[in-house]
Amino acid sequence: MGIPIRRRSLHERRGPFDLRRTTFGFALIALILAGGGMALRAAWRSAGRHPVAAVLVIALLLVAALLVLRRRRRARRIAETVTDAAYGIVDAGIAELDAAEAARAERRPEPPEVAAHPVDYAELDPYAFEEAVAELCRRDGCADAEVVGGAGDLGADVLATTPDGRRLVVQCKRYGPENRAGSQDLQRFGGTCYAVHEADIALVVSTGGFTEPALDYAEQCAILCYGPEELAAWSEGGAPPPWVAAAEEPAAGVSAP
């Protein structure tokens, strides 16, 4: 059987009230307060009698305070310097990344040019058609290509100089699908393209195609004939310009009826 242990109460643990200790504690507190007051009073009187010493003490206190503040400011400046340096490193890194990306972009091969939306040349009026053919010539290197068609043009609608310096003379026939350019059209053009316009390359472009006699005459006179299929291939980049095709294959350009 266990023996119960009686715990001591709080009052029993503290012990009995001791008058001596209490009196001594109060006396010590009074002595500290009195000593501190007397020290302050002596310091005040000493400052009055010796202002130089007081000023020196105050100056030392101010210097100590300034040193503390300076250390804080210096720490703040150091922190700001470190922060600025970090931002500078980050900016330099970003600039290097941008430069590297730009260099890689320059080394990348350019994507192939996408052919423009096909143009329905048969829907253009005759004047717009002539300008469209001149624009094709300019696009492919004939910088001076110009429309000269009109009354008294003597069969020439577009005049141009090819990139290799040859004179290009073009006649434009904006016909419907049921109206093909005939041999008479080619004969009239053949009578002026070389003798009058001094063509090195003579080209007839017809949106309606050509008759068989017209193609025969063109072959005899070395006149290039571009029907709707050849014109579409040239316009959309599926075939070289007529003057290039003529140089590669002298008989090129003879279109099927």
Side-chain angles (χ1 to χ4, degrees):
M1 180 176 178
I3 300 174
I5 299 175
R6 181 174 177 272
R7 295 184 179 182
R8 301 172 65 183
S9 64
L10 181 62
H11 295 290
E12 291 176 347
R13 287 199 301 270
R14 286 183 177 178
F17 177 77
D18 192 342
L19 182 60
R20 288 183 180 180
R21 291 182 178 178
T22 304
T23 304
F24 180 78
F26 279 109
L28 183 59
I29 293 172
L31 182 61
I32 292 173
L33 293 175
M38 292 176 63
L40 290 174
R41 185 177 180 182
W44 181 260
R45 289 179 178 178
S46 177
R49 292 193 300 268
H50 305 284
V52 177
V55 170
L56 289 176
V57 172
I58 294 172
L60 290 175
L61 292 175
L62 291 175
V63 169
L66 290 174
L67 287 175
V68 173
L69 293 175
R70 184 177 180 182
R71 287 182 180 178
R72 291 184 179 179
R73 293 176 181 174
R74 183 178 180 183
R76 187 180 300 133
R77 286 197 299 269
I78 292 174
E80 292 176 354
T81 303
V82 172
T83 303
D84 293 340
Y87 278 122
I89 293 173
V90 172
D91 292 339
I94 293 174
E96 290 182 0
L97 289 176
D98 292 341
E101 181 62 26
R104 284 195 295 269
E106 291 180 357
R107 290 194 296 269
R108 291 193 195 111
E110 295 184 0
E113 293 185 1
V114 179
H117 184 74
V119 178
D120 189 354
Y121 292 100
E123 294 297 322
L124 302 177
D125 61 58
Y127 301 104
F129 179 52
E130 293 174 1
E131 184 57 44
V133 173
E135 179 59 31
L136 284 177
C137 295
R138 286 190 288 266
R139 184 198 70 182
D140 290 337
C142 300
D144 63 345
E146 60 176 343
V147 176
V148 294
D153 59 14
L154 297 178
D157 295 319
V158 177
L159 295 178
T161 305
T162 63
D164 57 0
R166 289 179 292 172
R167 183 171 179 80
L168 174 67
V169 180
V170 185
Q171 186 177 73
C172 302
K173 296 294 185 183
R174 209 282 296 162
Y175 288 159
E178 302 299 327
N179 187 11
R180 294 182 292 177
S183 60
Q184 292 184 356
D185 297 322
L186 271 294
Q187 290 173 21
R188 284 192 292 268
F189 180 63
T192 59
C193 63
Y194 295 111
V196 177
H197 301 293
E198 300 180 346
D200 295 313
I201 301 174
L203 171 66
V204 178
V205 182
S206 172
T207 56
F210 301 87
T211 64
E212 188 67 31
L215 293 175
D216 292 338
Y217 177 82
E219 185 176 5
Q220 294 174 8
C221 298
I223 297 174
L224 299 176
C225 293
Y226 267 43
E229 293 181 359
E230 292 83 3
L231 177 59
W234 177 23
S235 173
E236 297 170 17
W243 52 90
V244 175
E248 293 176 353
E249 188 176 348
V254 178
S255 173

